[in-house]
């Protein structure tokens, strides 16, 4: 039996609660009437028969899900694999299609995507053509062969960079106006969201976050929320790829990486992640971690010492800032160049920009 998005949401809310929920609370959370919730609960109970558990309504107590821990774990796992896609929304449909290509690089039939997204095979073929220009920027190609299927072709580094680019393009909206830790925690449970988080095992995200919290490095406090998020997701992606045997040693994105200030932190992260997931990370992964650490945007503060954040030659940075100010407005250049806080702020923010470039 299929389960509707609303029924799935109700079931997930009940799975998250250790105590019975009031009918009114469920209705408010879903945004529907109590009568609608009552009607949906009957359908959900029918869905739960195959799991040998049931929703119980106790007068004066509330609504709860009765079943063993193992059954509930199976439910969460199965529900996490059910994505809700509005097939009429072209942008959303193509985003999910791209997620599917990233999730598994083994060949898939166009028919499989058609059934998954609820559209015709010809529509999927058009969507794949529309996605190719986006992938071209990362030197990835969609390969379609009769009898073989559809898959992505490209190097591991290009594949990883494309995934990271997709993260950067799709996390802003989801995490806007949320505390980063709350947003990540919510995302672990909210499997109804059609975000980049569909790329990664939710358990991986939580465990990576625990590892970083345990390290408690002061550098993390300097990151913007989106920079910290990008690091968490990068590590989670790397772990998943390593577990599937998809990562081998490749070229280093940073030269002379052992000389960077964040090298010791990159090593600490690598060793802690290896211990947590019982994996071995390739040597090149240190350089990728360092790229994130050194290239992350940081929160500006007048208390920050700009020199502690700069690996480039300071004179070269100052020359660049002078040229930028001259290009911006010659009539203001004298005042701006003498504004120490302004210049220091530019130096701090140019450092990660240059690293990323």
């Amino acid at each position: 039996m299929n389960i509707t998005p609303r029924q799935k949401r109700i079931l997930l809310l009940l799975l998250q609660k250790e105590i019975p929920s009031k009918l009114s609370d469920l209705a408010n959370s879903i945004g529907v009437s109590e009568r609608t919730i009552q009607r949906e609960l009957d359908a959900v109970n029918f869905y739960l028969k195959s799991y040998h558990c049931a929703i119980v309504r106790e007068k004066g107590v509330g609504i709860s899900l009765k079943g063993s821990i193992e059954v509930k774990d199976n439910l969460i796992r199965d529900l996490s694999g059910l994505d809700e896609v509005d097939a009429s929304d072209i942008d959303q449909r193509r985003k999910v299609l791209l997620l599917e290509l990233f999730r598994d690089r083994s060949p898939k039939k166009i028919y499989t995507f058609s059934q998954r997204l609820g559209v015709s095979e010809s529509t999927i073929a058009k969507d794949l053509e529309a996605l190719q220009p986006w992938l071209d920027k990362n030197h990835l190609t969609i390969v379609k062969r009769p009898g073989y299927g559809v898959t992505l072709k490209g190097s591991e580094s290009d594949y990883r960079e494309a995934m990271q680019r997709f993260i950067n393009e799709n996390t802003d909206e989801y995490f806007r106006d949320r505390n980063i830790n709350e947003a990540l925690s919510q995302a672990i449970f909210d499997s109804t969201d059609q975000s980049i988080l569909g790329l990664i095992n939710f358990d991986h995200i939580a465990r990576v976050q625990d590892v970083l919290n345990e390290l408690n490095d002061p550098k993390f406090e300097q990151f913007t929320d989106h920079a910290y998020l990008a690091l968490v997701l990068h590590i989670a992606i790397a772990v998943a790829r390593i577990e599937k045997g998809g990562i081998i040693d490749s070229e280093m994105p940073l030269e002379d990486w052992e000389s960077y200030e964040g090298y010791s932190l990159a090593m600490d992260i690598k060793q802690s992640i290896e211990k947590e997931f019982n994996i071995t990370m390739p040597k090149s992964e240190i350089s990728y971690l360092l790229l994130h650490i050194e290239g992350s945007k940081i929160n500006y503060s007048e208390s920050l010492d700009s020199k502690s954040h700069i690996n480039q030659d300071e004179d070269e940075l100052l020359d660049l800032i002078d040229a930028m100010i001259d290009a911006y407005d010659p009539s203001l250049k004298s005042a701006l160049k003498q504004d120490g806080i302004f210049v220091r702020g530019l130096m701090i923010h140019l450092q990660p920009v240059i690293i990323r470039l």
Side-chain angles (χ1 to χ4, degrees), residues 90 94 124-135 142:
I90 297 176
R94 289 174 179 174
I124 294 296
K126 291 178 182 177
D127 286 344
L128 290 171
E129 290 179 6
L131 288 173
Q132 186 56 61
W134 189 96
L135 292 164
I142 297 175

Side-chain angles (χ1 to χ4, degrees), residues 219 222 261 294 298-315 317-318 321 339-352:
K219 186 80 171 177
Q222 298 169 5
E261 179 189 350
E294 296 293 337
I298 62 175
N299 288 308
Y300 177 76
S301 170
E302 291 186 13
S303 63
L304 285 175
D305 176 9
S306 62
K307 293 184 179 179
S308 67
H309 300 278
I310 295 175
N311 285 305
Q312 270 79 32
D313 182 88
E314 186 172 339
D315 290 335
L317 275 178
L318 287 173
I321 289 172
D339 187 334
I341 293 177
F342 174 75
V343 172
R344 181 174 59 178
L346 267 180
M347 291 180 73
I348 290 172
H349 287 294
L350 278 175
Q351 157 74 8

Side-chain angles (χ1 to χ4, degrees), residues 101 128 131-132 135 140-144 150-153:
L101 291 171
L128 290 171
L131 288 173
Q132 186 56 61
L135 292 164
L140 294 176
T141 304
I142 297 175
V143 177
K144 294 178 286 185
V150 178
T151 188
L152 287 178
K153 180 181 179 181

Side-chain angles (χ1 to χ4, degrees), residues 232-247:
V232 171
L233 297 184
H234 166 83
I235 296 171
I237 288 173
V239 170
R241 299 283 294 140
I242 290 170
E243 288 179 339
K244 293 179 180 179
I247 289 183

Side-chain angles (χ1 to χ4, degrees), residues 188-210:
I188 294 168
F189 296 104
D190 189 4
S191 60
T192 65
D193 184 76
Q194 280 299 319
S195 72
I196 184 62
L197 296 170
L199 270 173
I200 310 163
N201 182 295
F202 296 152
D203 177 63
H204 283 182
I205 297 175
R207 290 166 67 186
V208 168
Q209 194 178 8
D210 287 343

